[in-house]
Amino acid sequence: MAEESIIREEKGSYFFFNEDEMDVQNIIKNQTLVLDDRYDTFDKEFFRPLVNLSQKVQFGQNDFKVGYAVEGKEIFRNGDFEITILLTDNTSLNQKAIEVNKKEIIVAVNEWFNKDETLKKEFDWYCRTNKYFLNNSSGGTGDRSRTNDNFRVRNKQLKDKIVNRIKSNFLETRFVSQNRIIESNDINGTAPADRFANVIEEHLKGIYKNHHLSVGYARNQQELKKSVADQQILMDVLEPAEQMVNDYISLHNNQITVYDLIDHFNKEPFGWRFEALLDVLIRLEKKKKREFKYKGQERYDRVNFINKAISTAERTSCEVVSSEEIDQETLDNVIAAYKNIFNEDLPGNQIQSDQNKLFDALKDSVSRKEQNYSDLESHYKNFA
């Protein structure tokens, strides 16, 4: 390999190394590499810039954390799904597909990297040269400084050569997704970043197969607050996301905390944002399928409930419970009893047939009367 010889090529002409260049050449050749040196270099210098991989990827309405490793070298931890690059592993891809977790993507770079002896040697030399410069960061003086500058230029040229080889070979790369091998010709795109993004997209579609049901619900707190304040009367029919959440609450004796709901619907096969889940709860409450409870307080106001539920610390105190259906005769009797006691009608429209509005009107009116009587008591008690 030219990088390890005593001859250099410049613009089509060949030159023997001088004494200092030969000295540096031997120092580079004798650099000791551990596996992490190779894994770090392949990740930082080649793969990650080539595919534009970051610690989060957007899918649908949510952002998902990426767990990422080059073989045994963990780079991004605690991901919602995992990506593993195989570089020199010689295990068959069929075996890997059986062994790995369903949520893990395997990138089988090893299938072409291990076969390309020239690429392997060039990559090894590039790693050794990088390590030499890492251990000699001062750059030296005089002849050594000029020699080092020449080796930096050559290593940059070698890097460009390796990048082009990887780009070309990436078109042949196979993947494992959801324990299935994906052949290279089944992936759309020609640029490595496009192909890799398409693999991730299809992978997440399979893992979070019910994620699309959250489309149309709140994506952030601004949209959530707009939804909770909206006074539009909704049809009683439940949308698929609402039916799923309602069924899950029923499964838990019709009483469950917001903490548990968010925890469940954040995972596969949902991957919903917590704002979307709270928006679903708002719809269920507006459609009179569920009621809110906060620290034991029944029929808790939806605006205040959502303001509490936004806070992680409050979610275990926020519960979603059954909505009790009260017959019309009972509602009429409540209205008549109020008029008989206070000699006035309850304020508000549409309270005759809406148990929630009737409850709110009754609670508000009685609270105001209680405050008035309390003020009178404070004023006149000294005259008794």
Side-chain angles (χ1 to χ4, degrees), residues 141-184:
T141 58
D143 288 344
R144 181 52 52 91
S145 177
R146 286 188 291 274
T147 297
N148 284 342
D149 287 343
N150 289 335
F151 272 86
R152 283 193 180 91
V153 170
R154 293 172 196 142
N155 213 42
K156 171 63 170 62
Q157 293 170 344
L158 180 59
K159 178 181 179 179
D160 293 340
K161 183 179 178 182
I162 294 171
V163 166
N164 288 332
R165 186 77 63 85
I166 292 174
K167 279 183 180 179
S168 175
N169 287 338
F170 201 78
L171 291 170
E172 304 171 12
T173 304
R174 299 198 298 169
F175 297 81
V176 171
S177 170
Q178 302 171 74
N179 302 112
R180 295 183 300 103
I181 294 177
I182 301 177
E183 299 295 338
S184 59

Side-chain angles (χ1 to χ4, degrees), residues 48 91 140 143 146 239 365:
R48 217 186 319 167
T91 308
D143 288 344
R146 286 188 291 274
E239 298 296 332
S365 181

